[in-house]
Every structure is written in C-alpha cells, then in structure tokens.
C-alpha cells in the first residue's frame, strides 16, 4: 500500500487527534478578546491538548517552542505567540497540530478580538468559502490541482489574492508529508486523488497582493503590502463520497452542510454522522 494511503487503523488515530484539535479551536474562541495576549491564548491551547491526552506537535518542531501559531491582521502565517495584547477589531488565525499515538491532525480558524471590522469579516468569510470550495473539489479520481483551481477562481472573483509561498500538505505519522497541495492554479494538474489519502487544505487569502516576507524571527510571515490576510484549514480524508473534513468543528458543521447544499453537491464523507467525531 502506498504511504499516501492511510489504513483504517491510522484513520482512527487521526480522527482522535482531529477531534482534539477541533475541540481546542472551539474552546479558544471564548477567550479571544481585547487585552489578552497571544501567549496566554497559546497556553490555553497547549493545556487543552495535553489535558485531552494528545501531544501539541508544534512544540519542538524545527526549534519552535509553542503549541500554536497565532497570526494577527497582516500576518499571513506562523505568527509566534508573545506578550503583545490584542486590540479591539484585531483579526487573527489560530493554527494547531495535535498528535495521538503518533498520528497527526492540523487545523486553523479565524477569530476577531472585540468588534469585528467589515473588511476583516469579509475577508474571513470569503476565505472560509474558498476552503469549502477546495473541499468540494476533492473526490477519488480528481487531481490535486483541481483544489487550487477552485480556490483561485473564487479569490479572483472577489478581488483577493492567493498566497503562493505556502500550501497544504499530506499528513499522518509526520506533520508534513506528500502530497503538496497548492491553493492556486498551475500548469501541472498534480497527482490523482485516491481513497484513503489524508492532507490539509489551508488557503491563505490576502486583501492586497499575494507577496509575503518573513520577519527577522525566522517564523512570522507578513504581507509585503501590509494588507489583511486570512486563513482557514482542515485535515481532509478522501472518501468514496468526496472530502471528509476530519477537523470540522461541531459549531461549524451546519454552516458547512448549508454551503454544500447551496452548491448542489453532496457532503462528502458524511456517512450519516457528525464529521468531526
């Protein structure tokens, strides 16, 4: 069996990790408010993951010391938690990876501290829609490039740009595995998707241009033009019905099903039960 294809036993372990990641993101939303620091949010995430019997897999990864990446406003990804307090209207992404018995799950979600801005709400909403359209492009026999094409088409239709320096990835016993999942259209359709593959889809959309740069800390990636950036991410399993987002949060489930219904598509991998469990 190809290393890209997960066994039923592996998928069961990944479901456990996915449920903990989803639970962490459900929990943390109530704590996102003006005045709290990203370091405090990170500690809450760390403790939730360990209290539920999993390992915060980002800790120690290439020297990284935190359980989460928390990216605020113009930070695209890999924002390092610190002592700076959130301000009213800040838009932030919280990105988590947990492992259970050596198997990983990865997800991120958008939050607003205090009163949301119109620009932040629009960008976050459209980026989540881009993720969902990427999910709907997943089915056995499709090509990985179909995911990026669906995301780019949506972003361009709404005047947004797709970050090209970072993409999704296979996931399993390693946090990052094959295949690479680009979120924009290229001349290469990529590999064929097969039953049992697991990977992340995690589009990063910018209100301005797609260009990014990395700050001196070696981690934090920001938009070159200082425009707002947003990202949503799920760990995805390829099923006979399509994509099953393993990390779907309970509070998100109805919104996902409504979006699927509005597109006239089946909810891949649902199999008559909550997708996040």
């Amino acid at each position: 069996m190809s290393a890209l294809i997960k066994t039923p036993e592996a998928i069961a372990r990944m479901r456990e990790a996915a449920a903990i990641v989803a639970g962490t993101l459900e929990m943390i939303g109530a704590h996102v408010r003006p005045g709290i620091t990203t370091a405090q949010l990170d500690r809450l995430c760390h403790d939730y993951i360990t209290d539920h019997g999993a390992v915060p897999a980002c800790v120690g990864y290439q020297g990284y010391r935190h359980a989460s990446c928390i990216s605020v406003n113009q930070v695209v990804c890999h924002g390092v938690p610190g002592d700076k307090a959130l301000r009213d209207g800040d838009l932030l992404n919280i990105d988590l990876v947990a492992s259970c018995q050596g198997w990983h799950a990865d997800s991120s979600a958008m939050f607003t501290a205090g009163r949301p801005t119109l620009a932040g709400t629009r960008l976050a909403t459209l980026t989540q829609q881009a993720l969902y359209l990427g999910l709907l492009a997943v089915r056995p026999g499709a090509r990985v490039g179909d995911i990026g094409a669906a995301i780019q088409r949506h972003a361009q239709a709404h005047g947004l740009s797709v970050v090209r320096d970072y993409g999704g990835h296979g996931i399993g016993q390693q946090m990052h595995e094959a295949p690479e999942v680009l979120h924009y259209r290229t001349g290469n359709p990529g590999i064929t998707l097969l039953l049992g593959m697991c990977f992340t889809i995690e589009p990063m959309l910018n209100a301005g241009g797609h260009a990014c740069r990395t700050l001196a800390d070696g981690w934090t990636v920001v938009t070159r033009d200082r425009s707002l950036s947003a990202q949503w991410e799920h760990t995805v399993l390829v099923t006979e019905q399509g994509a099953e987002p393993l990390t779907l949060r309970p509070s998100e489930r109805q919104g996902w099903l409504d979006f699927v219904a509005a597109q006239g598509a089946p909810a891949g991998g649902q199999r008559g039960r909550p997708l996040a469990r």
Side-chain angles (χ1 to χ4, degrees), residues 75-163:
V75 178
V76 175
C77 61
H78 304 162
V80 180
D83 295 330
K84 186 175 181 179
L86 295 177
R87 299 173 298 178
D88 188 48
D90 276 345
L91 182 70
L92 61 151
N93 175 271
I94 300 179
D95 191 351
L96 303 164
V97 186
S99 66
C100 283
Q101 301 181 52
W103 292 90
H104 294 75
D106 187 358
S107 186
S108 77
M110 297 299 298
F111 303 90
T112 301
R115 294 168 294 182
T117 65
L118 290 176
T121 298
R122 178 180 185 272
L123 179 61
T125 299
L126 290 171
T127 304
Q128 187 174 45
Q129 291 173 359
L131 168 61
Y132 288 172
L133 289 168
L135 290 170
L136 290 176
V138 173
R139 65 184 184 280
R143 307 296 286 270
V144 71
D146 296 336
I147 298 169
I151 290 169
Q152 185 177 21
R153 188 160 51 244
H154 179 72
Q156 289 182 332
H158 294 279
L160 305 175
S161 62
V162 181
V163 171

Side-chain angles (χ1 to χ4, degrees), residues 24 27 41-52 54 56 59 65-68 96:
T24 309
M27 173 276 300
L41 294 174
D42 179 73
R43 173 49 57 181
L44 289 167
C45 291
H46 181 284
D47 291 349
Y48 186 99
I49 292 170
T50 57
D51 287 349
H52 286 76
V59 177
R65 297 183 296 159
H66 307 278
S68 65
L96 303 164

Side-chain angles (χ1 to χ4, degrees), residues 164-211:
R164 300 189 174 202
D165 296 343
Y166 303 91
H169 51 86
I171 187 168
Q173 286 185 297
Q174 303 297 321
M175 187 187 306
H176 297 104
E177 301 179 351
E180 181 181 29
V181 181
L182 300 179
H183 300 127
Y184 58 95
R185 186 184 299 106
T186 72
N188 181 0
I191 66 169
T192 299
L193 302 180
L194 303 173
L195 285 174
M197 284 184 174
C198 284
F199 48 84
T200 70
I201 302 176
E202 47 185 295
M204 305 166 208
L205 302 189
N206 297 342
H210 68 79

Side-chain angles (χ1 to χ4, degrees), residues 238-262:
V238 181
T239 76
E240 291 179 355
Q241 293 78 30
E244 180 182 351
L246 299 179
T247 47
L248 196 75
R249 300 176 303 284
S251 64
E252 180 191 10
R253 180 174 183 269
Q254 191 57 54
W256 158 242
L257 293 176
D258 290 346
F259 183 88
V260 170

